[in-house]
C-alpha cells in the first residue's frame, strides 16, 4: 500500500487547531445546505489524515514516556537494595562492637585490654567505617529522593500525553463522523446525476502541493489493489481492461502525468469518468468517480486532482478504475501496472 504524505510533527497549538477544523462548517456552509459536498469531503480527508498523524505521534511519545517512567522505577529499586545492604552492614558492625566489649566505656576497655594500641587502632577503623557507611546511606537517601521526584515528573508527563491522546482521539472520531456523512451526500448526488443522465459540472478542489521533479505519479496516494488487468469476472463482458484501486468514496484522484482532458462523461458502465491525453500517444482513464474537478480541454499536471473516487456505473463498491489506452476510447487498453512501473511508479 502506498502511504499518504507525511505531515509536520506535533505543535503546541495542535488541539486548538484541530478543534477549529472539527467544528468549522465546510466551505462556509451548513452541512445540510445544498452546497456541493465534494470539496468538504476532500478537506475532511486532509483533516482526518492530520488528526491521525498527530495521534500516532502522541501515542509513540506516550510509550516513550512510559518506558522512561519504568526505567526510573527500576533505578529506584536498585537504589533501595543498596540501602538495605548498607543497613545490614551497619547491623553487623554494631553486633561485632557489642561482642567486642562495646557495652563498656572506651577507657575501661583500654585498662582491661592486653594491647591498648591494638584496641585504639581497631576503634579508629570502626569509627571510619561507621562514618563511611553513614555517609553512603545519606547519599543514597538523597539519590532516592531525587529519583522519586524524577519518577513523579515522568509519570505526570506521561499522564498529560495520555490525556492529549484521548482528546486527539475524540477529535479524530468527530472528523471521521463528519467525513462519513459528507461521503454519503457526495455519493447520493453522484448517483442522482448519473441516473438523470446529466454530468455534474466541475467542482474545483483546493489542490495539494504538486510533486516536484516527478513526471509520473500514482492516481491515488493510499490504496489497495483489487481487480487487475485481464482478470475475469461477471461484471465485465470479456476481461478486465484496467487496474482497480480500492479506496473510499471521495478520495482525491490525480492525473498520473502531464496532459489534456479530452473527455468528461457520465452514464454507462464506467459511470462518471475522465479521460486524459498524454504525450507519446497514450491516454489514461479514471472511472466510477463521484465528482470531477476539471473540464474538457483543461491542461493538467502530474498529481493534480481531477476528481474524486466513487462507485458510479457498473460497480460493486467504492474504487477507482484506472486504464491506460492508445486511443481515447475503450478497446485499446494496455496493462497499466507495468506501464506505470516503466515510468518510475511501482504499485
Amino acid at each position: 500500500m502506498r502511504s499518504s504524505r507525511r505531515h509536520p510533527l506535533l505543535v503546541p497549538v495542535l488541539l486548538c487547531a484541530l478543534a477549529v477544523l472539527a467544528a468549522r462548517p465546510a466551505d462556509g456552509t451548513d452541512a445540510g445546505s445544498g452546497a456541493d459536498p465534494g470539496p468538504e469531503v476532500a478537506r475532511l480527508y486532509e483533516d482526518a489524515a492530520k488528526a491521525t498523524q498527530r495521534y500516532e505521534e502522541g501515542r509513540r511519545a506516550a510509550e516513550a514516556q512510559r518506558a522512561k517512567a519504568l526505567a526510573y522505577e527500576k533505578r529506584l529499586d536498585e537504589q533501595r537494595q543498596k540501602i538495605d545492604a548498607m543497613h545490614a552492614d551497619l547491623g553487623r558492625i554494631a553486633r561485632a562492637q557489642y561482642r567486642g566489649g562495646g557495652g563498656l566505656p572506651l577507657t575501661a576497655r583500654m585498662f582491661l585490654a592486653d594491647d591498648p594500641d591494638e584496641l585504639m587502632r581497631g576503634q579508629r577503623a570502626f569509627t571510619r567505617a561507621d562514618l563511611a557507611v553513614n555517609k553512603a546511606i545519606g547519599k543514597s537517601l538523597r539519590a532516592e529522593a531525587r529519583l522519586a521526584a524524577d519518577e513523579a515528573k515522568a509519570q505526570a508527563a506521561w499522564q498529560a500525553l495520555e490525556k492529549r491522546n484521548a482528546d486527539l482521539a475524540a477529535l479524530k472520531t468527530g472528523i471521521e463522523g463528519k467525513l462519513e456523512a459528507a461521503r454519503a451526500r457526495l455519493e447520493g448526488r453522484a448517483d442522482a446525476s448519473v441516473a438523470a443522465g446529466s454530468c455534474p459540472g466541475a467542482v474545483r478542489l483546493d489542490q495539494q502541493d504538486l510533486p516536484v521533479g516527478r513526471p509520473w505519479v500514482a492516481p491515488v496516494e493510499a490504496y489497495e489493489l483489487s481487480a487487475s488487468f485481464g482478470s475475469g469476472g461477471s461484471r465485465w463482458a470479456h476481461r478486465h481492461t484496467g487496474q482497480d484501486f480500492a479506496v473510499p468514496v471521495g478520495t482525491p484522484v490525480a492525473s498520473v502525468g502531464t496532459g489534456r482532458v479530452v473527455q468528461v462523461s457520465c452514464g454507462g458502465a464506467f459511470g462518471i469518468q475522465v479521460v486524459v491525453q498524454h504525450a507519446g500517444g497514450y491516454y489514461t482513464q479514471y472511472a466510477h468517480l463521484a465528482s470531477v474537478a476539471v473540464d474538457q480541454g483543461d491542461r493538467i499536471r502530474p498529481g493534480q486532482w481531477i476528481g474524486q473516487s466513487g462507485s458510479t456505473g457498473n460497480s460493486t463498491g467504492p474504487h477507482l478504475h484506472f486504464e491506460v489506452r492508445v486511443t481515447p476510447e475503450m478497446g485499446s487498453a494496455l496493462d497499466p501496472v507495468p506501464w506505470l512501473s516503466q515510468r518510475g511508479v511501482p504499485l
Side-chain angles (χ1 to χ4, degrees):
M1 178 184 291
R2 185 175 297 275
S3 62
S4 301
R5 298 193 314 277
R6 296 299 178 191
H7 297 276
L9 297 177
L10 283 167
V11 293
V13 297
L14 169 63
L15 295 179
C16 292
L18 283 177
V20 171
L21 288 174
R24 71 182 183 188
D27 302 317
T29 61
D30 182 78
S33 71
D36 194 292
E40 179 187 7
V41 171
R43 176 182 61 78
L44 286 170
Y45 267 119
E46 289 292 304
D47 291 351
K50 290 175 183 177
T52 299
Q53 177 70 16
R54 280 138 177 91
Y55 174 76
E56 288 301 313
E57 289 164 353
R59 183 186 60 79
R60 288 192 294 271
E63 289 301 317
Q65 197 66 46
R66 188 198 304 272
K68 189 175 181 180
L70 291 174
Y72 276 126
E73 185 60 37
K74 182 179 179 181
R75 289 172 60 186
L76 278 172
D77 287 341
E78 293 172 352
Q79 199 67 40
R80 292 187 188 104
Q81 291 174 8
K82 291 180 181 178
I83 291 171
D84 290 342
M86 289 177 182
H87 280 293
D89 288 342
L90 267 184
R92 285 193 294 272
I93 292 172
R95 288 191 296 272
Q97 183 185 23
Y98 179 78
R99 287 194 298 269
L104 293 174
L106 178 60
T107 303
R109 281 187 282 137
M110 289 180 64
F111 280 120
L112 296 173
D114 294 332
D115 188 347
D117 291 337
E118 181 67 25
L119 175 65
M120 288 301 297
R121 286 194 294 272
Q123 181 65 32
R124 285 193 295 272
F126 171 78
T127 301
R128 286 195 297 272
D130 191 29
L131 289 174
V133 170
N134 285 334
K135 183 178 179 181
I137 289 176
K139 183 179 179 180
S140 296
L141 288 174
R142 290 191 296 274
E144 182 178 20
R146 288 195 301 271
L147 283 170
D150 289 342
E151 182 189 44
K153 291 178 182 178
Q155 187 71 9
W158 174 72
Q159 290 173 351
L161 280 169
E162 285 287 288
K163 182 179 183 303
R164 178 186 294 178
N165 285 350
D167 293 339
L168 282 169
L171 285 170
K172 179 172 172 284
T173 299
I175 291 171
E176 288 171 346
K178 290 184 177 183
L179 177 58
E180 189 64 30
R183 277 199 302 239
R185 294 199 307 276
L186 178 63
E187 190 172 21
R189 180 168 296 196
D191 289 340
S193 296
V194 172
S198 59
C199 290
V203 177
R204 304 298 178 178
L205 302 175
D206 292 334
Q207 291 290 327
Q208 63 175 341
D209 294 332
L210 297 182
V212 177
R214 294 171 58 194
W216 299 96
V217 298
V220 286
E221 286 192 349
Y223 55 82
E224 289 184 4
L225 297 177
S226 49
S228 58
F229 180 81
S231 59
S234 60
R235 303 296 296 182
W236 38 85
H238 301 289
R239 292 288 177 177
H240 195 229
T241 55
Q243 175 63 58
D244 286 351
F245 296 79
V247 288
V249 170
T251 300
V253 174
S255 172
V256 296
T258 300
R260 182 175 64 88
V261 178
V262 296
Q263 183 181 0
V264 176
S265 62
C266 64
F270 289 121
I272 300 174
Q273 63 170 325
V274 173
V275 178
V276 177
Q277 180 183 22
H278 305 280
Y282 293 105
Y283 298 80
T284 53
Q285 178 213 28
Y286 312 79
H288 305 307
L289 301 178
S291 74
V292 293
V294 291
D295 289 313
Q296 191 163 314
D298 283 356
R299 300 291 302 180
I300 51 179
R301 294 178 291 168
Q304 181 177 335
W305 288 342
I306 59 174
Q308 292 170 280
S309 64
S311 188
T312 55
N314 187 10
S315 171
T316 58
H319 72 283
L320 168 69
H321 175 86
F322 173 73
E323 284 191 19
V324 176
R325 301 170 174 172
V326 293
T327 74
E329 305 300 330
M330 63 180 300
S332 60
L334 306 172
D335 189 341
V337 174
W339 188 88
L340 282 173
S341 180
Q342 291 166 7
R343 287 157 179 77
V345 186
L347 300 178

